[in-house]
């Protein structure tokens, strides 16, 4: 009779072990995956020996020409803080990202072309009259390479360097936009979206896997104080775009649909320039005040249907939160770091994870290429996962807002964020100028931002004493 308790205990132990085994092998809920790329800044002029061949051939022959470059054969990467993306880096970034497949789709938040492209082309003693065609070919090569590499829907936003005339120059309805529209595969079956992109560089398409979600790709270059119309016709396409966005948001909300916003330049203040102008206490806004005000008004009405906004431009791993009077309508901006290492950062890309049923965004995983080590050991590696580092299991405005508060008030969290800000390269947040970057995460007007800087600098000085 005494054996029964023993048998019962043994049975319970076996059941517990089996339960643990089942939990261990039970498949986790599936997640969708999105590749986020930004600020590639591909430089076809990096090896001057092959420039004439690139000028004289269409993009079907570019891969062969670029692969013949001595720097590519030797695996020479650009110097961090000195150069944009050469073919070695572009090729390795595409290969590294492809190793993280499968993806449901890809989002590229602008700037396919190198900085100072016009002057660099002239320095190669190439006729300036040939620059528009060469810039267009370069952009098409980048687009086609990405689309071919991943063979899933790719949603491209327009960056300020993506121009056939000059930085921040856009020709609405011009040949550059029309050429890109003809190359974007996601536009092939949507004439309305193709027409919108050809006219102004913005478009709206259905989410490729979620029935009740749309992807709205904006051309925020049109809202920049630096924007100019290459055609000099005096029109204001930025105003037309904000009206278009208002109509799209109204239609989405009326149909009970969510949206993902994609753009290159995020709203708010340029923390980098503001920190450089600290002595004069001047501020630099990414958008014109009128457009920021109108956009903020739209989010006040429609922010509750925005799942996330995705941007680039700063080259850094960052975020912003546009708060509204109604917390449910606040909008989180995820800023994807750049492939180009020109601003002293390491090249990086992100993989975003979302629920295939609800669309809720649960995670981002970061990968980077440390250019600060030995050339023989340079390779793409995993950097971090958002939930593991910061403790939040969803990329929501409330979680980003809480993180911003922690960065501002907790030196330990600030140090962690600083370490990843430039993709594990030396970070400007590690200096006393960190308030310029922290305040930009939550404050979007010059007056509010300046007040935050003064407040945080006073706290920092008091703490230092």
């Amino acid at each position: 009779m005494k054996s029964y308790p023993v048998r019962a205990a043994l049975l319970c132990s076996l059941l517990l072990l089996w339960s643990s085994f089942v939990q261990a092998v039970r498949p986790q809920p599936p997640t969708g995956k999105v590749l986020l790329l930004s600020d590639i800044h591909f430089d076809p002029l990096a090896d001057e020996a092959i420039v004439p061949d690139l000028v004289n051939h269409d993009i079907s022959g570019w891969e062969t020409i670029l692969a013949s470059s001595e720097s590519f054969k030797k695996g020479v990467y650009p110097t961090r803080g000195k150069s944009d993306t050469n073919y070695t880096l572009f090729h390795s970034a595409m290969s590294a990202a492809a190793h993280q497949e499968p993806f449901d789709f890809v989002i590229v938040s602008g700037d396919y072309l190198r900085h100072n492209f016009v002057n660099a082309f002239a320095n190669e003693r190439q006729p300036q009259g040939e620059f528009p065609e060469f810039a267009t070919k370069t952009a098409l090569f980048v687009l086609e390479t990405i689309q071919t590499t991943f063979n899933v829907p790719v949603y491209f936003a327009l960056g300020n360097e993506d121009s056939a005339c000059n930085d921040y120059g856009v020709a609405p309805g011009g040949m550059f936009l029309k050429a890109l529209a003809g190359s974007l595969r996601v536009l092939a079956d949507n004439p309305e979206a193709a027409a919108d992109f050809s006219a102004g560089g913005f478009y709206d398409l259905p989410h490729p896997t979620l029935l009740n979600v749309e992807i709205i790709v904006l051309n925020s270059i049109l809202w920049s104080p630096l924007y100019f119309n290459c055609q000099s016709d005096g029109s204001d396409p930025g105003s037309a775009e904000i009206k278009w966005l208002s109509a799209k948001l109204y239609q989405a909300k009326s149909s009970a649909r969510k949206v993902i916003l994609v753009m290159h330049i995020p709203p708010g203040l340029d923390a980098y320039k503001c920190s450089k102008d600290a002595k004069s206490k001047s501020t630099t806004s990414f958008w014109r005040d009128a457009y920021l005000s109108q956009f903020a008004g739209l989010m006040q009405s429609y922010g509750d249907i925005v799942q996330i906004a995705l941007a680039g431009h700063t080259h850094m791993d960052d975020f912003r939160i546009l708060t509204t009077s109604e917390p449910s309508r606040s909008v989180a901006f995820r800023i994807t770091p750049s492939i180009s290492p020109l601003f002293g950062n390491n090249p990086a890309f992100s993989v975003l994870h979302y629920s295939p049923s609800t669309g809720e965004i649960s995670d981002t995983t970061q990968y980077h290429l440390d250019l600060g080590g030995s050339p023989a050991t340079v390779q793409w590696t995993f950097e971090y996962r958002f939930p593991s580092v910061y403790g939040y299991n969803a990329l929501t405005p409330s979680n980003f807002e809480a993180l911003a508060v922690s960065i501002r008030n907790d030196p330990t969290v600030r140090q962690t964020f600083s370490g990843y800000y430039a993709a594990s390269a030396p970070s400007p947040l590690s200096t006393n100028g960190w308030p310029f970057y922290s305040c930009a995460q939550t404050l979007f007007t010059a007056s509010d931002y300046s007040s935050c800087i003064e407040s945080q600098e006073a706290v920092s000085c008091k703490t230092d004493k």
Side-chain angles (χ1 to χ4, degrees), residues 77 132 271 441:
Y77 286 96
Q441 291 172 337

Side-chain angles (χ1 to χ4, degrees), residues 433-447:
W434 65 264
F436 290 94
Y437 299 88
S438 174
C439 291
Q441 291 172 337
T442 59
L443 299 165
F444 289 67
T445 65
S447 58

Side-chain angles (χ1 to χ4, degrees), residues 39-46 50 54 62 66 84-91 111-115 117 134-135 137-139 141-143 145 161-162 339-340:
D39 294 88
I40 295 169
H41 292 291
F42 176 61
D43 181 9
L45 309 176
I50 63 172
L54 295 175
W62 272 34
L66 290 162
D84 270 318
T85 300
N86 63 5
Y87 185 62
T88 304
L89 176 54
F90 184 42
H91 184 272
D111 271 359
Y112 331 126
L113 306 183
R114 62 155 288 168
H115 292 84
F117 203 177
F134 189 71
K137 288 199 299 184
T138 305
F141 174 75
V142 173
L143 268 58
T145 299
E161 299 289 351
D162 302 327
I339 298 297
S340 168

Side-chain angles (χ1 to χ4, degrees), residues 414-455:
R414 188 186 313 140
Q415 183 178 10
T416 299
F417 181 78
S418 173
Y420 293 126
Y421 182 74
S424 296
S427 167
L429 272 83
S430 61
T431 68
N432 290 334
W434 65 264
F436 290 94
Y437 299 88
S438 174
C439 291
Q441 291 172 337
T442 59
L443 299 165
F444 289 67
T445 65
S447 58
D448 290 343
Y449 178 74
S450 297
S451 296
C452 176
I453 297 296
E454 293 176 5
S455 173

Side-chain angles (χ1 to χ4, degrees), residues 187-197:
L187 301 180
D189 297 323
N190 195 312
E192 180 182 346
D196 287 336
F197 185 87

Side-chain angles (χ1 to χ4, degrees), residues 137-184:
K137 288 199 299 184
T138 305
L140 293 177
F141 174 75
V142 173
L143 268 58
E144 191 59 28
T145 299
I146 295 172
Q147 291 177 134
T148 301
T149 298
F150 301 105
N151 199 30
V152 294
V154 184
Y155 301 83
F156 291 90
L158 204 67
N160 54 284
E161 299 289 351
D162 302 327
S163 170
C165 57
N166 211 334
D167 188 16
Y168 288 93
V170 180
M175 294 306 298
F176 184 78
L177 289 183
K178 289 180 179 178
L180 267 60
S183 179
L184 296 184

